[in-house]
Amino acid sequence: MNTDKANNLVIYNTLSRRKEAFEPLHPPLVGMYVCGPTVYSDIHLGNCRTFISFDLIYRYLLHLGYKVRYVRNITDAGHLEGDRDEGEDKFAKKAKLEQLEPMEIVQKYTIGFHEVLALFNTLPPSIEPTATGHILEQIEMIKKILEAGYAYEVNGTVYFDVEKYSRGNDYGTLTNRKLEDLMEGTRELDGQDEKRGRLDFALWIKAKPETLMQWPSPWGWGFPGWHIECSAMSTKYLGTTFDIHGGGMDLQATHHTNEIAQSQACNHTEPVKYWVHTNMLTVNGARMSKTAGNGFLPKELFTGNHPLLERGYTPMTVRFFMAQSHYRSTLDFSNEALQAAEKGYKKLMESLSALEKIVPSDATSVNIDELEQSCYAAMNDDFNSPTLIAHLFEGVRIINSALDKKETLTVADLEKLKKIMHTFIFEVLGLVDETKQMAGSEVIEGLMQLIIDIRQSARDNKDWGTSDKIRDALKEAGVTLKDTKEGVEWRL
Ligand code: AMP
Ligand code: ZN
């Protein structure tokens, strides 16, 4: 455990609306729960932003030496359209549309989700529980909430009684809003409604005969409401009070507010110490979402096959683009921003190759310890990745100056600089060198050497036509050749 560094970490807590010193309940253990995807369709880049943001947080906590139990659920049941207690089940709707079993839909999009996140080099969570795999736990929790008097059953459906809960608890604690204001934002009840209060939400929903996914319960056949799954699974794997609960900001007002109410009503404890919310990825200022139709799929982004895209961008360009903004700021998608990120990412990767060529001196003319402290200070300030990147570019400046012999580094400081750059770029920011990934393939390496040798023979024979043709064709394919003292180098 890197106690020194870990002691200085502050995290913005949505609950207190300020940055707080991070003090886990049972150090060095950290319990972290992040609301996962609803797997009835492909995830878009906005979803990816949230999961990549939590990957950064996870990586940094691990780097500090914490043992993190990272739980990220898969929502594979109980997601209705409308105001989430009504309308058609999204899984059933998609199953009909694609003529598949609901569980085939779940499997298909769960695999897709994993593939996409692997491309972005995110670390898998420690536990990835599914809602359908925890129906019993959800039923047990609902039973306890009923026993505690904070829920009521109407005709096979169980509702959480927000008004009753609000008598002894602050229902709007997470958003700092009063009950009256929250009421104003919801529709008035009419004769059709079973629930008693406008803010009441379903814990268990009675199934219709045609409902595809349904389970037996003390209230008859039905399926769980959306919010109860996260309360049941976080309690099961992390306990009644745990350290960090996260998700996108869009989940704060309803999903997470209801999670707090459910857990309080059932376990009589504040469930979460630090609530962490990531901000939205937007397109021309509007939130990227499944329903708005402005959601790029990651594969569209990689191929450039989308009307809003001028061309394709690699996963690491996209990951770097995301790290360039703080997780609590909105991030607006644009081709210009991605092209700038591509340049920045390449510059960072090139500097790592350059780092290997620096010849050490007897003395050091720059302060490497200060650079290291600045990198930690940035990440300790609520995981400020854009500031970290600014410091890493100071590292790039030092590398280039040392190559030009304008700055000098001793053997020890050169090693320290390598460690700082590698640790923060790869381990913490989670980037990988895509050129090396490709170049790592022996076949590509062999073919490139063959091409370089043919070009060299052409040049030896003063056959400039062939030599230029090879260089141009490679350029067209995105490969650049560079003549150096050590020979010809190539990069993607
Ligand atoms: P969903 O699959 O819709 O339940 O969303 C999965 C996660 O993605 C949730 O944590 C959402 O808050 C998050 N999310 C949805 N849209 C965006 C967006 N445009 N930008 C960032 N995160 C998002
Ligand atoms: Zn959740």
Side-chain angles (χ1 to χ4, degrees):
M1 175 92 191
N2 202 335
T3 317
D4 245 27
K5 316 247 156 64
N7 278 347
N8 293 323
L9 174 63
V10 296
I11 301 188
Y12 183 86
N13 191 348
T14 315
L15 202 57
S16 62
R17 286 161 278 282
R18 61 180 177 81
K19 285 182 194 168
E20 291 176 15
F22 182 60
E23 285 161 11
L25 295 158
H26 311 287
L29 304 178
V30 172
M32 176 162 98
Y33 187 94
V34 172
C35 290
T38 315
V39 286
Y40 67 91
S41 63
D42 287 315
I43 62 161
H44 55 68
L45 201 65
N47 303 133
C48 294
R49 185 189 183 202
T50 284
F51 300 124
I52 292 172
S53 296
F54 282 105
D55 187 59
L56 179 82
I57 291 174
Y58 181 40
R59 280 172 177 277
Y60 191 59
L61 291 173
L62 290 177
H63 171 71
L64 290 179
Y66 286 115
K67 289 180 71 165
V68 187
R69 182 180 288 173
Y70 174 18
V71 183
R72 188 182 64 206
N73 67 298
I74 294 279
T75 298
D76 59 353
H79 227 273
L80 300 184
E81 301 204 308
D83 70 2
R84 314 240 186 204
D85 285 353
E86 298 164 9
E88 210 173 344
D89 179 306
K90 287 176 179 167
F91 294 94
K93 192 171 171 184
K94 202 56 183 284
K96 272 185 221 150
L97 203 71
E98 297 197 15
Q99 297 192 322
L100 294 171
E101 276 290 316
M103 272 300 160
E104 283 181 290
I105 294 290
V106 167
Q107 179 74 353
K108 175 176 165 184
Y109 292 109
T110 302
I111 290 173
F113 168 66
H114 288 156
E115 281 173 358
V116 165
L117 286 197
L119 282 174
F120 284 121
N121 196 35
T122 63
L123 301 172
S126 334
I127 306 178
E128 199 170 41
T130 60
T132 54
H134 295 78
I135 299 293
L136 277 182
E137 287 82 353
Q138 295 176 74
I139 290 175
E140 283 309 306
M141 195 160 187
I142 298 169
K143 277 181 5 197
K144 282 194 191 158
I145 299 173
L146 274 163
E147 278 161 25
Y150 290 112
Y152 55 92
E153 187 214 333
V154 186
N155 190 26
T157 293
V158 183
Y159 292 98
F160 189 90
D161 190 339
V162 173
E163 200 195 307
K164 167 113 192 261
Y165 174 78
S166 299
R167 276 180 229 144
N169 302 277
D170 181 5
Y171 177 69
T173 181
L174 199 55
T175 45
N176 198 23
R177 291 181 70 194
K178 293 202 179 70
L179 200 65
E180 304 82 78
D181 299 339
L182 290 170
M183 294 273 259
E184 262 183 29
T186 51
R187 119 192 119 72
E188 266 188 64
L189 297 182
D190 56 34
Q192 305 285 306
D193 283 293
E194 287 176 338
K195 58 184 181 185
R196 296 181 198 151
R198 272 149 88 162
L199 292 169
D200 295 357
F201 55 91
L203 298 170
W204 185 262
I205 302 158
K206 182 192 167 114
K208 298 191 183 100
E210 69 273 19
T211 304
L212 292 176
M213 286 200 277
Q214 46 176 296
W215 293 265
S217 80
W219 318 285
W221 284 81
F223 55 95
W226 171 36
H227 318 300
I228 195 74
E229 86 177 82
C230 289
S231 292
M233 295 191 284
S234 60
T235 307
K236 171 159 180 165
Y237 296 112
L238 299 173
T240 51
T241 301
F242 57 95
D243 297 300
I244 301 175
H245 191 318
M249 272 182 187
D250 56 322
L251 302 183
Q252 193 181 324
T254 309
H255 184 53
H256 291 162
T257 290
N258 291 347
E259 268 190 56
I260 294 178
Q262 291 166 157
S263 295
Q264 282 269 18
C266 177
N267 304 319
H268 318 291
T269 50
E270 187 79 69
V272 175
K273 199 166 173 198
Y274 304 90
W275 280 94
V276 177
H277 288 99
T278 53
N279 213 325
M280 297 290 108
L281 180 72
T282 56
V283 187
N284 297 323
R287 182 190 146 195
M288 186 179 276
S289 80
K290 279 175 193 163
T291 37
N294 61 358
F296 306 119
L297 301 184
K299 69 171 177 246
E300 290 169 337
L301 195 75
F302 305 149
T303 58
N305 196 4
H306 189 282
L308 281 168
L309 294 168
E310 284 170 15
R311 60 180 171 81
Y313 304 95
T314 67
M316 285 305 116
T317 294
V318 180
R319 183 157 182 144
F320 184 75
F321 162 69
M322 293 189 178
Q324 275 182 311
S325 83
H326 187 251
Y327 78 86
R328 280 193 292 116
S329 313
T330 52
L331 172 62
D332 199 47
F333 168 86
S334 76
N335 280 283
E336 296 72 44
L338 271 161
Q339 279 156 26
E342 189 176 75
K343 272 198 196 133
Y345 164 71
K346 277 189 181 155
K347 210 167 149 190
L348 213 50
M349 291 305 128
E350 278 163 10
S351 78
L352 294 180
S353 308
L355 192 49
E356 300 304 320
K357 293 184 195 139
I358 295 174
V359 182
S361 300
D362 296 337
T364 296
S365 63
V366 281
N367 194 336
I368 299 296
D369 289 335
E370 196 176 88
L371 177 70
E372 184 182 33
Q373 281 154 18
S374 306
C375 291
Y376 278 106
M379 285 306 286
N380 277 341
D381 182 14
D382 193 27
F383 313 101
N384 197 325
S385 54
T387 305
L388 167 66
I389 290 174
H391 293 308
L392 291 174
F393 275 104
E394 170 57 12
V396 173
R397 188 200 64 78
I398 294 172
I399 293 167
N400 291 334
S401 301
L403 263 187
D404 292 347
K405 309 232 164 12
K406 287 183 194 132
E407 304 278 12
T408 56
L409 291 157
T410 60
V411 175
D413 280 336
L414 185 56
E415 280 314 305
K416 221 184 249 178
L417 180 59
K418 279 184 193 170
K419 187 154 181 272
I420 298 168
M421 297 300 280
H422 282 255
T423 301
F424 282 97
I425 294 174
F426 299 127
E427 194 182 317
V428 175
L429 287 178
L431 296 169
V432 284
D433 189 339
E434 284 170 332
T435 310
K436 290 242 172 70
Q437 252 185 346
M438 292 286 286
S441 147
E442 279 174 24
V443 177
I444 293 180
E445 211 44 274
L447 286 174
M448 279 310 300
Q449 201 46 57
L450 180 68
I451 294 169
I452 289 168
D453 289 347
I454 294 172
R455 177 170 165 267
Q456 195 51 49
S457 319
R459 297 179 86 181
D460 293 344
N461 295 330
K462 300 204 164 33
D463 179 1
W464 307 119
T466 304
S467 147
D468 288 350
K469 197 172 162 186
I470 292 173
R471 180 186 280 259
D472 293 347
L474 286 175
K475 200 171 170 198
E476 185 78 2
V479 181
T480 49
L481 296 183
K482 200 170 162 193
D483 295 302
T484 69
K485 269 180 261 156
E486 291 83 26
V488 182
E489 284 179 6
W490 67 277
R491 286 193 75 84
L492 280 178

